[in-house]
Amino acid sequence: MSLRLTLSIAAVLALPPHLVYAQTASQPMPATAVEPAAGASASAADLALRALYEREWAWRQQEFAREKIDGRWQASSRLPSVAPDDWERRAAYWTQVLEALDAIDPAQLSPAERVNAAVFRAMVEADHSAATWRTWEAPFNSDSFFWSYFNPNQPYAREADWDRLLGRLRDLPGYFDQQIANMERGLERGWSVPRASIEGRDRTLEPYTRTDAGNPFLATFDAIPASVPEPRRSQLREEGRRLVLERLVPAYTTLLAFLREEYLPRTRTTIAASELPEGRAFYRSQIREYVTRDMDPREIHAIGLAEVERISAEMREVMARAGFEGSFEEFLQFLRTDPQFYARSSRELLANASYVAKKVDGQLKHAFNILPRYRFTIIPVPDDIAPIYTSGRGGLDACLFNTYDLPSRPLYNLPALVVHECAPGHSFQAALALEAPARPDFRQQTYFSGYGEGWGLYTEWLGTSMGIYETPYEDFGRLTFEMWRAARLVIDTGLHEYGWSREQAIDYLASHTALARHDVVTEVDRYISWPGQALSYYLGYRTLRDLRAEAERELGPRFDQRPFHDTVLALGSVPLPVLESEVRAFIAAQKAAPAP
C-alpha cells in the first residue's frame, strides 16, 4: 500500500519525513526508459524537458527538506513548512511548470524522454491538484497521520542519522502548530475528515504524551547501538531524552487536546466526498490521480459489480474443493472462528510469514530473469499504530505484519499478503528499483498507485503458479483478497457517488469476503476518508492481467513470463496508459525478433 499516487509534495505533507522516506524506499522506482547512448545528441525538446524536471526537482527538495544521502533522497535535519502561504506559492510554481511542459512538443522527444515527460506531468498535476484543492487542510485520514512515524522502526547505525533525527524533532512543535492552524481553516470551510472514519485515531498519540519508558521516543534513544561510539552515544541519548521530555511531550499533548476538544467534535458527520465543497468534481480528480485515467465513477461501479460476481463463483468452487457442505455464509463464519486458522502468538504469525517468504525465494527464478540482491526483514507493526493499522505493508528494508488482535489475523490470508507486500511484491519491486540503472532523480520518488498496487495484486494471482497456496483455505484466502479489491470498486464509488452509508459498505464487504470484522471496519473507514485511492488496486491489476493475456495471445508458444515480468518491473512506476504502451512495444519487439 501507498499513500498517494505520487510520493511527492502531497505525500510529504500527509506524513512526516521519516515515513515519507520509508514509503519512498518501499515503492518501485523506474528502470526501463534507457538514457541516450554516450555521444548521442539530444534534441532541443529533450534538453528543454530535462532542464525543466531537473529544476523542479531541485526546488522540490529544498521545499520539502530532503537531501541525497548515500545515493538516496532522504529526510534532512529539518521539517518542511506547511503554512497556507507555502501551499499557495507551491501551487503557483506548479502552474508555471505545467505551462512550460505544455510548450514542449512530445513528438520531438526521444522515447526515453517521452516516458519521463508522461511521468513528470502526472506527478506535477497530482501535486498541483492537491495544493489547489487545499487537501492540506485535512492532513490525515483513518490510515495515515501526519503525527506518526517520526520515530524510526529500527535504531540508526550511524551518528549522522541520529543528528538528522534530532534536527527534525526540534522542528516538530512548530510543524504541529502549522498543521493545527491548517485543520482550523479546513473546519471553517467545511473541509474535514469524516468523523465516523477516524473515531479512536487520537489514541495513537497517547504513548507520545508519556514521560516514562512507555514513550516510544525514549525507548528509541535508549537503544542507540554500539556502532555509535562513546562518548557520543551517551550524549545523543541524553540530548534526545531532554528534547522528548521538554518539547515533544508538550507538543503531542497539545495536539491530542486539540483533536479531542476541538477537531473531532467539529468534523463533518457526512461521509461522501460529494458532500465536500465542489465534492463531485473533487472525487473525479481523485479518481484521475489514483487510477491515472479519466473514468466515470458509475463505469467503475459497474466493473466492480461484474468482477464481484465472477470471483464469487470461484470462491464457491474452492469452498466445494475444501469439502465444506454448508452455505457460503456458514463457510465464512467457520473461517472466522475456527482456532486452526489463527496463530496463538505473535511469533507464530511472523514465523508463518517468514516460511511463505522463503518458499517464494525458491520460485522466483522461474518467474523472473533479474533478481535483486537487497534483502528485507520481517517485523511486527509498531504497537502505537497497530490497533488501527492494516494487516501488512511492505518496503525496501522490511515487511511489517500486524500481530495486534490475533483472532483478527487469519493464517489462510497470510500467503497472499506475503507475496503482495514482500516478494515478488513491494519489497521485491523496491530492491530492483534500488539496483536499477540510473534514471532522473524525480523518477526515483514517483509512485503511481495503479502501477504499484496493481503489481502487488497481480503477484497474488501469480502465486497460484508458484505453488504458494498449499490448501483450499489458502486459495480461498487469495480469492478473499482479490474479492476485497474488486469490492472496493463497488464500495468506494458507492460511498462517494451513490451515497451509501457506512454500515451499508461494511455489510457489503463482510458478506463477500472472509476478512475479519476488525479488518472490514478498518478498510471501510479508509475508503471513507481517502476517496479514490482504493480504486487503483483492482484497475491496475486488471490492466496487468489484460496485458499478459495480450502477450500470450500475440506471442503464442514463444511467450515467456520471465522477460514479460522483467519488462514491467524495469519500466518502474508509471501511469497505466504508459504501462500499456511500453508493454505493447515489448510485445511487438518480441514478435518481430527471429525465432530462437
Side-chain angles (χ1 to χ4, degrees):
M1 299 188 53
S2 61
L3 297 176
R4 295 191 63 84
L5 174 147
T6 57
L7 194 52
S8 49
I9 300 317
V12 169
L13 268 296
L15 293 177
H18 176 74
L19 182 61
V20 171
Y21 165 64
Q23 289 290 331
T24 299
S26 77
Q27 306 303 351
M29 292 181 283
T32 45
V34 276
E35 299 295 330
S41 59
S43 69
D46 280 5
L47 293 174
L49 176 65
R50 289 179 200 167
L52 181 62
Y53 61 62
E54 287 172 0
R55 184 167 62 249
E56 194 276 346
W57 183 254
W59 170 88
R60 174 182 298 251
Q61 303 320 298
Q62 179 64 27
E63 284 288 311
F64 294 97
R66 297 177 67 77
E67 61 181 288
K68 205 164 195 176
I69 303 165
D70 296 335
R72 290 189 287 173
W73 287 98
Q74 303 181 39
S76 70
S77 59
R78 63 183 178 89
L79 294 181
S81 177
V82 294
D85 288 349
D86 295 301
W87 283 113
E88 291 168 8
R89 176 173 47 77
R90 289 161 187 159
Y93 179 80
W94 284 317
T95 297
Q96 295 173 358
V97 169
L98 290 171
E99 289 172 352
L101 185 57
D102 288 341
I104 298 173
D105 182 2
Q108 301 301 312
L109 293 171
S110 63
E113 293 298 347
R114 200 170 299 134
V115 172
N116 289 337
V119 173
F120 183 64
R121 177 180 293 280
M123 179 186 78
V124 175
E125 284 179 346
D127 292 332
H128 180 264
S129 176
T132 53
W133 279 108
R134 291 155 57 188
T135 59
W136 42 270
E137 291 181 346
F140 70 102
N141 56 44
S142 70
D143 178 86
S144 306
F145 322 110
F146 68 83
W147 58 79
S148 297
Y149 307 105
F150 285 100
N151 193 39
N153 288 329
Q154 301 180 73
Y156 297 123
R158 302 183 308 180
E159 178 182 340
D161 293 321
W162 290 100
D163 287 332
R164 281 188 288 271
L165 174 63
L166 286 170
R168 293 193 295 274
L169 296 183
R170 291 187 192 100
D171 286 351
L172 186 143
Y175 178 81
F176 279 9
D177 288 345
Q178 289 183 329
Q179 296 286 21
I180 289 172
N182 289 342
M183 288 188 282
E184 280 282 8
R185 289 169 62 99
L187 288 171
E188 290 170 4
R189 70 177 181 110
W191 191 282
S192 71
V193 184
R195 186 182 309 169
S197 70
I198 55 171
E199 292 288 349
R201 270 50 177 187
D202 52 304
R203 289 197 296 271
T204 62
L205 286 156
E206 290 176 350
Y208 297 95
T209 65
R210 297 178 60 167
T211 57
D212 57 17
N215 188 308
F217 279 124
L218 293 177
T220 292
F221 282 105
D222 283 341
I224 300 176
S227 57
V228 178
E230 292 287 9
R232 186 56 181 148
R233 183 162 75 251
S234 295
Q235 292 169 351
L236 285 168
R237 182 167 57 248
E238 292 310 308
E239 188 176 354
R241 290 183 62 84
R242 184 168 55 253
L243 179 60
V244 170
L245 295 175
E246 293 178 2
R247 300 201 53 173
L248 300 193
V249 168
Y252 277 94
T253 301
T254 298
L255 177 59
L256 180 58
F258 169 77
L259 288 173
R260 286 179 171 169
E261 298 168 15
E262 297 289 334
Y263 192 75
L264 294 177
R266 296 164 58 196
T267 49
R268 64 187 176 103
T269 55
T270 57
I271 60 175
S274 59
E275 298 294 331
L276 290 166
E278 300 182 69
R280 290 195 179 277
F282 172 68
Y283 185 47
R284 280 158 177 75
S285 78
Q286 295 301 99
I287 291 174
R288 176 172 177 76
E289 176 176 338
Y290 290 108
V291 178
T292 58
R293 301 182 194 277
D294 286 315
M295 295 185 70
D296 186 273
R298 292 173 183 258
E299 174 192 0
I300 295 171
H301 193 82
I303 292 170
L305 290 172
E307 291 300 288
V308 164
E309 184 176 352
R310 178 188 63 78
I311 300 166
S312 291
E314 288 190 37
M315 294 174 88
R316 283 165 170 78
E317 292 173 5
V318 175
M319 182 182 77
R321 184 152 49 89
F324 191 84
E325 296 180 354
S327 67
F328 185 75
E329 292 71 22
E330 289 170 335
F331 187 56
L332 293 184
Q333 182 64 13
F334 166 64
L335 291 174
R336 287 175 177 144
T337 57
D338 195 294
Q340 69 174 301
F341 299 123
Y342 296 87
R344 291 162 294 183
S345 68
S346 298
R347 185 179 180 87
E348 183 181 350
L349 187 146
L350 296 173
N352 273 272
S354 301
Y355 165 70
V356 175
K358 198 59 190 173
K359 183 166 57 174
V360 168
D361 277 352
Q363 295 297 315
L364 291 175
K365 61 181 176 290
H366 303 302
F368 305 88
N369 284 319
I370 301 171
L371 302 179
R373 293 168 295 177
Y374 203 92
R375 293 293 178 263
F376 61 88
T377 188
I378 288 177
I379 58 177
V381 172
D383 291 342
D384 59 304
I385 58 171
I388 47 79
Y389 203 71
T390 190
S391 297
R393 192 158 285 172
L396 176 66
D397 295 315
C399 274
L400 284 75
F401 292 93
N402 203 329
T403 59
Y404 171 81
D405 189 18
L406 288 173
S408 295
R409 313 292 172 195
L411 296 176
Y412 53 77
N413 287 346
L414 203 55
L417 186 62
V418 170
V419 296
H420 181 118
E421 301 296 346
C422 305
H426 294 320
S427 294
F428 187 86
Q429 286 176 304
L432 281 175
L434 183 69
E435 299 164 15
R439 295 293 175 259
D441 277 353
F442 80 91
R443 295 273 309 265
Q444 297 181 5
Q445 293 253 205
T446 307
Y447 179 68
F448 297 90
S449 192
Y451 171 91
E453 301 301 342
W455 173 259
L457 183 49
Y458 174 86
T459 63
E460 295 175 24
W461 170 80
L462 186 62
T464 60
S465 63
M466 298 172 71
I468 302 306
Y469 308 106
E470 297 180 351
T471 69
Y473 303 115
E474 292 182 351
D475 200 29
F476 193 89
R478 174 189 68 83
L479 287 169
T480 279
F481 272 26
E482 186 174 358
M483 174 66 84
W484 172 23
R485 280 49 167 264
R488 290 176 180 180
L489 303 184
V490 180
I491 295 169
D492 197 283
T493 52
L495 288 165
H496 299 296
E497 179 71 14
Y498 288 94
W500 281 21
S501 69
R502 180 171 179 264
E503 282 305 315
Q504 189 176 356
I506 289 171
D507 290 344
Y508 188 88
L509 188 56
S511 65
H512 285 89
T513 71
L515 293 172
R517 173 81 181 183
H518 178 91
D519 279 348
V520 168
V521 173
T522 298
E523 286 299 314
V524 168
D525 285 342
R526 180 176 145 219
Y527 312 151
I528 290 171
S529 65
W530 204 353
Q533 192 269 350
L535 303 175
S536 59
Y537 293 66
Y538 203 86
L539 294 174
Y541 164 65
R542 222 173 75 131
T543 299
L544 281 164
R545 287 290 305 274
D546 288 347
L547 287 170
R548 176 170 176 142
E550 185 177 333
E552 291 174 339
R553 184 172 61 252
E554 292 293 322
L555 299 177
R558 295 179 62 184
F559 174 77
D560 184 341
Q561 69 173 353
R562 292 171 297 178
F564 174 82
H565 293 150
D566 293 342
T567 296
V568 170
L569 290 179
L571 180 61
S573 199
V574 293
L576 293 180
V578 175
L579 174 66
E580 289 175 328
S581 63
E582 293 299 305
V583 170
R584 285 179 179 140
F586 159 78
I587 294 171
Q590 292 279 299
K591 198 171 182 179

